């Protein structure tokens, strides 16, 4: 087994991108972030020990911070977290094999960034809405209220199924409403899988830089209308994780 350090690859960028000298890389101690250039494209990389155990939360945070910071000033094509090659020659081989495709995708991302709109239902408010809207669910709630769990198990299971279906139906409707509302302010949209059973929304948007203020204002207005039912978060600007990665581009 080689004792030579490997290169952790963060993302693909245009060849004129220069990393900030004070930005740390992954690992403990962290490596220095540099670039490997080849023609019109380059790879953001840092050295890692051959036996480095990558995957700590701190490493993932470092990876995301570097890519998101880069996306704020230049287009970037994320490489799957944890990708390590044997050295600069291997990085050049990757760039050489896919240079034209990398360059074309980077051109598409020029002046664009990702935002994620995430919302989670307030459980008590959601349950009140479900019971108000569905007499059968309300009847089940009356049957279990104040009675021991062991004698109302069947009713509790059925009530949970009612609420689960209601969340799925409302999630689909909320996501479609949000996507339709922001259609003219976003270049592309990805409806992401829920990260929690009470998720109301989890949608990624690719946004042109000159529409960002309008986009943020529209999301804030949407959130304000739902603030009693849904806890909303707007994440971004981010690297375009949901719209392309080097792995997707190379297949």
């Amino acid at each position: 087994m080689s004792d030579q350090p490997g290169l952790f690859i963060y993302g693909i960028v245009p060849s004129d991108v220069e990393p900030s000298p004070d930005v740390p890389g992954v690992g403990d101690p962290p490596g220095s972030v540099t670039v490997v250039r080849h023609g019109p494209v380059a790879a953001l990389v840092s050295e890692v020990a051959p036996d480095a155990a990558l995957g700590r939360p701190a490493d993932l945070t470092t990876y995301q911070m570097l890519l998101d910071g880069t996306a704020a000033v230049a287009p970037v094509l994320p490489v799957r977290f944890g990708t390590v090659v044997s050295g600069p020659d291997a990085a050049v081989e990757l760039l050489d094999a896919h240079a034209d495709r990398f360059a074309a995708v980077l051109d598409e991302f020029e002046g664009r960034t990702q935002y994620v709109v995430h919302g989670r239902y307030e459980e008590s408010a959601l349950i009140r809405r479900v019971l108000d809207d569905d007499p059968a669910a309300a009847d089940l709630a009356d049957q279990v209220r104040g009675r021991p769990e062991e004698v109302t198990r069947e009713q509790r299971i059925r009530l949970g199924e009612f609420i689960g279906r209601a969340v799925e139906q409302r999630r689909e409707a909320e996501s479609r409403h949000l996507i339709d509302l922001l259609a003219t302010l976003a270049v592309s949209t990805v409806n992401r899988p829920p990260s929690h059973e009470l998720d109301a929304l989890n949608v990624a948007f690719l946004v042109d830089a000159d529409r960002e203020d309008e986009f943020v204002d529209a999301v804030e207005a949407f959130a304000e209308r739902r603030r009693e039912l849904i806890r909303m978060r707007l994440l971004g600007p981010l690297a375009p994780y949901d719209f392309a990665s080097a792995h997707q581009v190379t297949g």
Side-chain angles (χ1 to χ4, degrees):
M1 180 175 178
S2 172
D3 58 358
Q4 294 298 311
L7 284 184
F8 184 104
I9 304 183
Y10 300 87
I12 310 300
V13 294
S15 61
D16 59 354
V17 167
E18 292 284 354
S20 299
D22 57 344
V23 175
V26 299
D28 184 18
S32 298
V33 178
T34 60
V35 291
V36 174
R37 307 181 201 278
H38 181 73
V41 294
L44 291 170
V45 302
S46 66
E47 286 192 352
V48 292
D51 57 350
L54 301 172
R56 303 173 307 153
D59 292 327
L60 181 57
T61 298
T62 295
Y63 163 85
Q64 292 174 329
M65 288 181 63
L66 176 62
L67 289 176
D68 295 343
T70 302
V73 296
V76 60
L77 188 57
V79 171
R80 186 189 308 189
F81 176 77
T83 298
V84 177
V85 297
S86 58
D89 289 346
V92 168
E93 288 178 8
L94 172 67
L95 296 173
D96 182 61
H98 307 285
D100 291 343
R101 298 178 71 188
F102 286 161
V105 175
L106 288 171
D107 283 344
E108 292 180 15
F109 288 144
E110 181 71 45
R112 293 171 173 170
T113 191
Q114 174 172 319
Y115 283 87
V116 174
V117 182
H118 181 266
R120 185 164 295 169
Y121 287 113
E122 293 281 3
E123 186 170 14
S124 58
L126 172 67
I127 291 174
R128 286 196 300 271
R129 295 284 182 94
V130 172
L131 299 186
D132 288 344
D133 293 346
D134 193 321
D139 181 60
L140 284 170
D142 288 339
Q143 293 179 41
V144 304
R145 188 175 293 114
R147 300 181 63 197
E149 184 173 345
E150 59 270 18
V151 299
T152 57
R153 178 177 177 79
E154 181 179 344
Q155 292 91 335
R156 290 175 187 273
I157 291 174
R158 290 171 56 200
L159 180 59
E161 292 171 347
F162 268 110
I163 294 172
R165 286 195 297 269
V167 170
E168 291 178 3
Q169 293 167 358
R170 289 169 183 264
R171 179 188 298 132
E172 182 178 349
E174 289 285 4
S175 298
R176 176 49 51 196
H177 187 184
L178 179 69
I179 291 169
D180 289 347
L181 176 69
L182 301 176
T184 61
L185 299 176
V187 176
S188 187
T189 303
V190 172
N191 198 358
R192 309 168 87 197
S195 60
H196 187 276
E197 62 183 6
L198 288 176
D199 272 4
L201 296 156
N202 194 17
V203 187
F205 297 89
L206 188 65
V207 182
D208 280 326
D210 60 0
R211 305 300 299 274
E212 284 185 75
D213 289 344
E214 292 177 82
F215 177 85
V216 171
D217 288 345
V219 173
E220 289 178 347
F222 179 92
E224 177 60 26
R225 292 192 295 270
R226 287 157 176 77
R227 62 186 179 88
E228 294 183 358
L229 180 62
I230 303 174
R231 301 191 305 275
M232 302 277 291
R233 292 188 302 156
L234 178 61
L235 309 176
L238 307 170
Y241 304 102
D242 285 282
F243 297 94
S245 70
H247 174 70
Q248 292 171 326
V249 172
T250 62

